[in-house]
Amino acid sequence: LSSNSRIWDLTAPLLTSTYCVVALDMRGHGLSDVPEDGYGFPDVTADVIAFMDLLGLDSVAIAGHSWGASVALTLAVEQPHRVSGIALVDGGFIEISRYSDWETAEAQMTPPDIPGVAVETFLGFARQWPNIRDIWTDEIGEMVLSNFEIKNGKVYRRLDIHRHMKIARAIYDARPSEMLPQASCPALVIVATTPPANEAEQRWQTYRNEGMDMVREAMSGATVLIMENSIHDLPVQRPAELASALVSFARELA
């Protein structure tokens, strides 16, 4: 959510020697159009199917990160003949409505506005993000900036808060507890865990733990892989480990 296909820049090259790998910018993200509406799961999953049709891809294994994992799960349920397997990367298994009413969740999920911060100032803050500062490179800086619109040396949100929150509401309304049992294809669920540093992190770790239990109960054949001491953005922090897990999963599908 509010990211783009470049979050896979470090992971995808580790897959392409063996597999055909395609990443797309979802509507409102990256270089794709930013329409006013259509940010619920029916529209964004239809976008993916249209994208597959354009490329002549009949059936694919789909790896989705965070919100993208929820998209992958939805596709597996609604278009089972087009999906050979799903890899849910730290997403798709947390049912936020179990823990919070919408008003509370809305406040927690609303991102900060970025009304024209100078690029160097913005990068100065980004370099100090917890868990990112230790792995920061110029390439990661480029990946971060690609999520935003740059005008006259200043950074602005590409996906405005109004549209962002339409996706947030769709995530809140999603019911993984109902969808996970309906996904008939093989599944790999990758979960990032790290020692919580505050109450908010502890809360989300509890959600993850309960989500993993839900996966194990609903999908007896699913593989749950826990990556310890890892942040949510696994494709950035753990590209080699993530790629290795995806390759192993794809081999099992083959």
Side-chain angles (χ1 to χ4, degrees), residues 25 54 63 83 95 98 118 140 146 153 166 181 183 241 247:
D25 293 332
L54 182 68
V83 180
E95 193 163 310
R98 285 188 172 197
I140 290 177
S146 73
K166 290 184 177 183
E241 295 94 326
V247 167

Side-chain angles (χ1 to χ4, degrees), residues 92-123:
F93 58 88
I94 296 176
E95 193 163 310
I96 300 175
S97 61
R98 285 188 172 197
Y99 311 104
S100 173
D101 56 57
W102 168 242
E103 288 72 21
T104 303
E106 181 181 27
Q108 294 173 344
M109 298 171 76
T110 299
D113 198 7
I114 304 175
V117 178
V119 170
E120 284 308 314
T121 300
F122 180 83
L123 287 176

Side-chain angles (χ1 to χ4, degrees), residues 43 74 122 144 251:
D43 290 295
T74 305
F122 180 83
V144 169
R251 284 175 179 161

Side-chain angles (χ1 to χ4, degrees), residues 32-235:
S32 289
D33 292 341
V34 188
E36 173 63 25
D37 295 307
Y39 293 97
F41 287 107
D43 290 295
V44 296
T45 51
D47 288 344
V48 177
I49 293 298
F51 181 72
M52 291 171 56
D53 290 343
L54 182 68
L55 297 181
L57 302 174
D58 294 328
S59 179
V60 296
I62 298 182
H65 172 250
S66 195
W67 168 52
S70 296
V71 176
L73 176 61
T74 305
L75 279 164
V77 171
E78 296 184 351
Q79 301 281 343
H81 61 292
R82 305 297 298 270
V83 180
S84 61
I86 52 173
L88 310 182
V89 182
D90 212 38
F93 58 88
I94 296 176
E95 193 163 310
I96 300 175
S97 61
R98 285 188 172 197
Y99 311 104
S100 173
D101 56 57
W102 168 242
E103 288 72 21
T104 303
E106 181 181 27
Q108 294 173 344
M109 298 171 76
T110 299
D113 198 7
I114 304 175
V117 178
V119 170
E120 284 308 314
T121 300
F122 180 83
L123 287 176
F125 283 116
R127 290 188 193 99
Q128 298 305 314
W129 287 340
N131 304 304
I132 289 292
R133 54 176 168 249
D134 296 332
I135 60 172
W136 185 268
T137 63
D138 289 342
E139 185 175 12
I140 290 177
E142 292 176 7
M143 292 163 62
V144 169
L145 285 179
S146 73
N147 297 326
F148 303 93
E149 194 167 16
I150 311 298
K151 293 181 181 178
N152 300 319
K154 294 185 177 181
V155 180
Y156 300 86
R157 293 189 61 85
R158 185 183 299 275
L159 182 71
D160 63 29
I161 293 178
H162 172 65
R163 292 174 174 84
H164 181 110
M165 294 311 295
K166 290 184 177 183
I167 299 173
R169 182 62 200 242
I171 294 171
Y172 178 84
D173 289 336
R175 297 292 182 268
S177 60
E178 299 175 5
M179 299 182 68
L180 289 167
Q182 299 180 58
S184 57
C185 66
L188 169 66
V189 180
I190 302 175
V191 184
T193 66
T194 189
N198 52 52
E199 184 178 342
E201 291 182 4
Q202 178 63 62
R203 182 171 61 248
W204 279 102
Q205 196 56 57
T206 299
Y207 298 168
R208 283 185 174 91
N209 292 340
E210 294 184 3
M212 284 189 283
D213 291 340
M214 184 167 61
V215 168
R216 294 185 179 104
E217 181 179 345
M219 307 174 77
S220 58
T223 298
V224 177
L225 174 62
I226 299 173
M227 289 194 177
E228 297 181 348
N229 298 313
S230 299
I231 62 174
H232 177 58
D233 289 331
L234 286 168

